[in-house]
PDB file of all heavy atoms in Angstrom:
ATOM      1  N   THR A  72      -9.449   3.689   2.835  1.00  0.00           N
ATOM      2  CA  THR A  72      -9.422   3.745   1.438  1.00  0.00           C
ATOM      3  C   THR A  72     -10.666   3.672   0.774  1.00  0.00           C
ATOM      4  O   THR A  72     -11.630   3.208   1.294  1.00  0.00           O
ATOM      5  CB  THR A  72      -8.325   2.701   0.881  1.00  0.00           C
ATOM      6  OG1 THR A  72      -8.857   1.361   1.072  1.00  0.00           O
ATOM      7  CG2 THR A  72      -6.969   2.933   1.531  1.00  0.00           C
ATOM      8  N   SER A  73     -10.668   4.017  -0.527  1.00  0.00           N
ATOM      9  CA  SER A  73     -11.904   3.917  -1.260  1.00  0.00           C
ATOM     10  C   SER A  73     -12.000   2.658  -2.167  1.00  0.00           C
ATOM     11  O   SER A  73     -11.010   2.397  -2.914  1.00  0.00           O
ATOM     12  CB  SER A  73     -12.100   5.275  -2.190  1.00  0.00           C
ATOM     13  OG  SER A  73     -12.138   6.332  -1.573  1.00  0.00           O
ATOM     14  N   GLY A  74     -12.915   1.872  -1.964  1.00  0.00           N
ATOM     15  CA  GLY A  74     -13.134   0.535  -2.750  1.00  0.00           C
ATOM     16  C   GLY A  74     -11.751  -0.234  -2.495  1.00  0.00           C
ATOM     17  O   GLY A  74     -11.433  -0.555  -1.357  1.00  0.00           O
ATOM     18  N   ASN A  75     -11.251  -0.784  -3.526  1.00  0.00           N
ATOM     19  CA  ASN A  75     -10.106  -1.651  -3.455  1.00  0.00           C
ATOM     20  C   ASN A  75      -8.757  -0.896  -3.703  1.00  0.00           C
ATOM     21  O   ASN A  75      -7.836  -1.587  -4.090  1.00  0.00           O
ATOM     22  CB  ASN A  75     -10.230  -2.830  -4.480  1.00  0.00           C
ATOM     23  CG  ASN A  75     -11.490  -3.714  -4.211  1.00  0.00           C
ATOM     24  OD1 ASN A  75     -11.604  -4.041  -3.017  1.00  0.00           O
ATOM     25  ND2 ASN A  75     -12.162  -4.131  -5.155  1.00  0.00           N
ATOM     26  N   SER A  76      -8.804   0.388  -3.607  1.00  0.00           N
ATOM     27  CA  SER A  76      -7.635   1.215  -3.811  1.00  0.00           C
ATOM     28  C   SER A  76      -6.440   0.786  -2.882  1.00  0.00           C
ATOM     29  O   SER A  76      -6.688   0.515  -1.737  1.00  0.00           O
ATOM     30  CB  SER A  76      -7.967   2.733  -3.767  1.00  0.00           C
ATOM     31  OG  SER A  76      -6.743   3.454  -3.844  1.00  0.00           O
ATOM     32  N   ASP A  77      -5.292   0.822  -3.411  1.00  0.00           N
ATOM     33  CA  ASP A  77      -4.040   0.487  -2.610  1.00  0.00           C
ATOM     34  C   ASP A  77      -3.272   1.876  -2.330  1.00  0.00           C
ATOM     35  O   ASP A  77      -1.979   1.787  -1.934  1.00  0.00           O
ATOM     36  CB  ASP A  77      -3.105  -0.405  -3.395  1.00  0.00           C
ATOM     37  CG  ASP A  77      -3.726  -1.903  -3.127  1.00  0.00           C
ATOM     38  OD1 ASP A  77      -4.245  -2.133  -2.198  1.00  0.00           O
ATOM     39  OD2 ASP A  77      -3.409  -2.671  -4.080  1.00  0.00           O
ATOM     40  N   THR A  78      -3.860   2.969  -2.472  1.00  0.00           N
ATOM     41  CA  THR A  78      -3.238   4.342  -2.284  1.00  0.00           C
ATOM     42  C   THR A  78      -4.006   5.003  -1.187  1.00  0.00           C
ATOM     43  O   THR A  78      -5.292   4.811  -1.178  1.00  0.00           O
ATOM     44  CB  THR A  78      -3.081   5.009  -3.600  1.00  0.00           C
ATOM     45  OG1 THR A  78      -4.403   5.378  -4.137  1.00  0.00           O
ATOM     46  CG2 THR A  78      -2.257   4.302  -4.594  1.00  0.00           C
ATOM     47  N   LEU A  79      -3.317   5.890  -0.488  1.00  0.00           N
ATOM     48  CA  LEU A  79      -4.120   6.561   0.542  1.00  0.00           C
ATOM     49  C   LEU A  79      -3.293   7.954   0.868  1.00  0.00           C
ATOM     50  O   LEU A  79      -2.066   7.861   0.926  1.00  0.00           O
ATOM     51  CB  LEU A  79      -4.152   5.798   1.959  1.00  0.00           C
ATOM     52  CG  LEU A  79      -4.792   6.476   2.995  1.00  0.00           C
ATOM     53  CD1 LEU A  79      -6.293   6.829   2.785  1.00  0.00           C
ATOM     54  CD2 LEU A  79      -4.607   5.784   4.385  1.00  0.00           C
ATOM     55  N   THR A  80      -3.946   9.009   0.933  1.00  0.00           N
ATOM     56  CA  THR A  80      -3.412  10.295   1.248  1.00  0.00           C
ATOM     57  C   THR A  80      -3.931  10.675   2.680  1.00  0.00           C
ATOM     58  O   THR A  80      -5.153  10.678   2.942  1.00  0.00           O
ATOM     59  CB  THR A  80      -3.636  11.344   0.243  1.00  0.00           C
ATOM     60  OG1 THR A  80      -3.253  10.955  -1.059  1.00  0.00           O
ATOM     61  CG2 THR A  80      -3.064  12.758   0.606  1.00  0.00           C
ATOM     62  N   VAL A  81      -2.947  10.973   3.465  1.00  0.00           N
ATOM     63  CA  VAL A  81      -3.313  11.516   4.903  1.00  0.00           C
ATOM     64  C   VAL A  81      -2.643  12.838   5.079  1.00  0.00           C
ATOM     65  O   VAL A  81      -1.725  13.132   4.601  1.00  0.00           O
ATOM     66  CB  VAL A  81      -2.888  10.492   5.927  1.00  0.00           C
ATOM     67  CG1 VAL A  81      -3.539   9.135   5.739  1.00  0.00           C
ATOM     68  CG2 VAL A  81      -1.391  10.289   6.022  1.00  0.00           C
ATOM     69  N   VAL A  82      -3.337  13.584   6.027  1.00  0.00           N
ATOM     70  CA  VAL A  82      -2.768  14.976   6.374  1.00  0.00           C
ATOM     71  C   VAL A  82      -2.159  14.917   7.702  1.00  0.00           C
ATOM     72  O   VAL A  82      -2.789  14.319   8.682  1.00  0.00           O
ATOM     73  CB  VAL A  82      -3.973  15.998   6.305  1.00  0.00           C
ATOM     74  CG1 VAL A  82      -3.454  17.359   6.664  1.00  0.00           C
ATOM     75  CG2 VAL A  82      -4.592  16.091   4.976  1.00  0.00           C
ATOM     76  N   PHE A  83      -0.965  15.308   7.842  1.00  0.00           N
ATOM     77  CA  PHE A  83      -0.216  15.274   9.125  1.00  0.00           C
ATOM     78  C   PHE A  83      -0.286  16.619   9.847  1.00  0.00           C
ATOM     79  O   PHE A  83      -0.124  17.597   9.239  1.00  0.00           O
ATOM     80  CB  PHE A  83       1.298  14.843   8.853  1.00  0.00           C
ATOM     81  CG  PHE A  83       2.088  15.054  10.004  1.00  0.00           C
ATOM     82  CD1 PHE A  83       2.499  13.827  10.799  1.00  0.00           C
ATOM     83  CD2 PHE A  83       2.911  16.115  10.234  1.00  0.00           C
ATOM     84  CE1 PHE A  83       3.280  14.095  11.940  1.00  0.00           C
ATOM     85  CE2 PHE A  83       3.786  16.345  11.293  1.00  0.00           C
ATOM     86  CZ  PHE A  83       3.967  15.168  12.009  1.00  0.00           C
ATOM     87  N   LYS A  84      -0.459  16.509  11.271  1.00  0.00           N
ATOM     88  CA  LYS A  84      -0.257  17.693  11.973  1.00  0.00           C
ATOM     89  C   LYS A  84       0.595  17.295  13.172  1.00  0.00           C
ATOM     90  O   LYS A  84       0.388  16.324  13.798  1.00  0.00           O
ATOM     91  CB  LYS A  84      -1.575  18.136  12.516  1.00  0.00           C
ATOM     92  CG  LYS A  84      -1.557  19.362  13.491  1.00  0.00           C
ATOM     93  CD  LYS A  84      -2.958  19.722  14.043  1.00  0.00           C
ATOM     94  CE  LYS A  84      -2.844  20.969  15.027  1.00  0.00           C
ATOM     95  NZ  LYS A  84      -4.129  21.254  15.639  1.00  0.00           N
ATOM     96  N   ASP A  85       1.539  18.166  13.535  1.00  0.00           N
ATOM     97  CA  ASP A  85       2.418  18.155  14.605  1.00  0.00           C
ATOM     98  C   ASP A  85       1.742  18.680  15.769  1.00  0.00           C
ATOM     99  O   ASP A  85       1.416  19.781  15.908  1.00  0.00           O
ATOM    100  CB  ASP A  85       3.639  18.769  14.334  1.00  0.00           C
ATOM    101  CG  ASP A  85       4.834  18.608  15.514  1.00  0.00           C
ATOM    102  OD1 ASP A  85       4.577  17.898  16.357  1.00  0.00           O
ATOM    103  OD2 ASP A  85       5.675  19.635  15.579  1.00  0.00           O
ATOM    104  N   LEU A  86       1.443  17.756  16.752  1.00  0.00           N
ATOM    105  CA  LEU A  86       0.804  18.167  17.998  1.00  0.00           C
ATOM    106  C   LEU A  86       1.835  18.899  19.040  1.00  0.00           C
ATOM    107  O   LEU A  86       1.447  19.228  20.043  1.00  0.00           O
ATOM    108  CB  LEU A  86       0.140  17.034  18.752  1.00  0.00           C
ATOM    109  CG  LEU A  86      -1.012  16.354  17.861  1.00  0.00           C
ATOM    110  CD1 LEU A  86      -1.500  15.103  18.560  1.00  0.00           C
ATOM    111  CD2 LEU A  86      -2.122  17.399  17.567  1.00  0.00           C
TER     112      LEU A  86
END
Side-chain angles (χ1 to χ4, degrees):
T72 60
S73 301
N75 295 320
S76 175
D77 282 333
T78 62
L79 177 67
T80 299
V81 300
V82 179
F83 170 90
K84 179 183 178 182
D85 176 19
L86 297 177

